Amino acid sequence: MAEGETELPGSKKCGPYISSVTSQSVNLMIRGVVLFLIGVFLALVLNLLQIQRNVTLFPPDVIASIFSSAWWVPPCCGTASAVIGLLYPCIDRHLGEPHKFKREWSSVMRCVAVFVGINHASKVDFDNNIQLSLTLAALSIGLWWTFDRSRSGFGLGVGIAFLATVVTQLLVYNGVYQYTSPDFLYVRSWLPCIFFAGGITMGNIGRQLAMYECKVIAEKSHQE
């Protein structure tokens, strides 16, 4: 390395992806689009599974096909996923606490698989809703401990779970859709656990995508 040049921390761990992008705003846009598409895909899969198990019910005139069953759900989930995925690395930088725990794609994919499993576990029959909610809460915290372990990640997960639950309560209250056997006002008591796990999952994906931005910064630094 030439004299006067400094190596950015963690630059050796950066992957080759998006290395041709030199504009940070364009890089941010690419990450947002990728996160949006991931959120839309997960929403379609998970929502379809819930409809098949009669966990959520939509009006008959709305359920005309798989994609029109709730056309607004995938875009909303995609937008939320993009915001969450971009927010996590931003908060990490703001707090000066870069997240370095299990930063590889294999870990991210396992996190996604565990999240889908937690969502599917909400359909398992328990003796009562309290046992189900406590089980999902333990699984969600276990997901955070296994794949995150950061204070910012836990705090954002709790905030996301609270905000998303309030929004869902309002949607159900206004008759947009409904939950079968609600036990927490208008929704199921385990719903905040799903939102918490989803926030942690999308945050991990967003952090992993953000790692490749430092590759561009490092290359520009060397060129200068």
Side-chain angles (χ1 to χ4, degrees):
M1 184 177 296
E3 183 179 359
E5 290 183 353
T6 58
E7 183 178 358
L8 294 181
S11 61
K12 293 183 179 180
K13 298 182 180 179
C14 297
Y17 303 98
I18 322 179
S19 60
S20 62
V21 180
T22 57
S23 173
Q24 186 174 1
S25 60
V26 175
N27 185 281
L28 188 69
M29 184 181 302
I30 292 176
R31 285 193 283 134
V33 171
V34 172
L35 289 164
F36 176 85
L37 294 177
I38 293 175
V40 168
F41 175 76
L42 289 176
L44 287 173
V45 173
L46 299 180
N47 188 52
L48 180 59
L49 292 176
Q50 289 190 348
I51 291 176
Q52 289 179 341
R53 292 297 300 271
N54 292 325
V55 176
T56 56
L57 299 177
F58 292 89
D61 57 338
V62 176
I63 305 180
S65 64
I66 294 178
F67 295 100
S68 66
S69 59
W71 63 267
W72 48 270
V73 172
C76 290
C77 291
T79 302
S81 298
V83 172
I84 294 171
L86 295 175
L87 183 62
Y88 265 72
C90 180
I91 294 296
D92 291 339
R93 288 193 297 267
H94 180 73
L95 296 178
E97 299 177 354
H99 190 261
K100 300 179 180 179
F101 182 72
K102 290 189 176 182
R103 292 270 56 87
E104 61 273 345
W105 277 113
S106 59
S107 175
V108 174
M109 295 306 296
R110 289 195 296 269
C111 181
V112 173
V114 173
F115 168 61
V116 174
I118 292 176
N119 185 276
H120 187 71
S122 65
K123 307 166 185 63
V124 177
D125 295 329
F126 278 73
D127 293 336
N128 55 65
N129 288 327
I130 295 180
Q131 292 182 358
L132 176 59
S133 299
L134 291 177
T135 300
L136 293 181
L139 291 174
S140 299
I141 294 177
L143 180 143
W144 166 78
W145 180 256
T146 304
F147 300 103
D148 192 316
R149 296 191 186 182
S150 66
R151 293 176 298 175
S152 59
F154 186 86
L156 283 173
V158 172
I160 291 166
F162 174 78
L163 181 61
T165 301
V166 171
V167 172
T168 304
Q169 294 275 15
L170 294 174
L171 291 175
V172 176
Y173 176 78
N174 287 280
V176 176
Y177 68 103
Q178 63 183 10
Y179 279 84
T180 57
S181 305
D183 61 315
F184 180 49
L185 295 180
Y186 302 104
V187 301
R188 304 292 288 270
S189 56
W190 44 258
L191 191 62
C193 303
I194 302 298
F195 287 141
F196 176 84
I200 298 297
T201 301
M202 294 310 305
N204 276 343
I205 296 175
R207 282 166 166 167
Q208 190 66 23
L209 289 173
M211 285 186 63
Y212 298 113
E213 185 175 352
C214 64
K215 174 67 174 180
V216 179
I217 299 176
E219 289 182 351
K220 290 179 65 178
S221 176
H222 289 302
Q223 291 175 358
E224 294 175 356

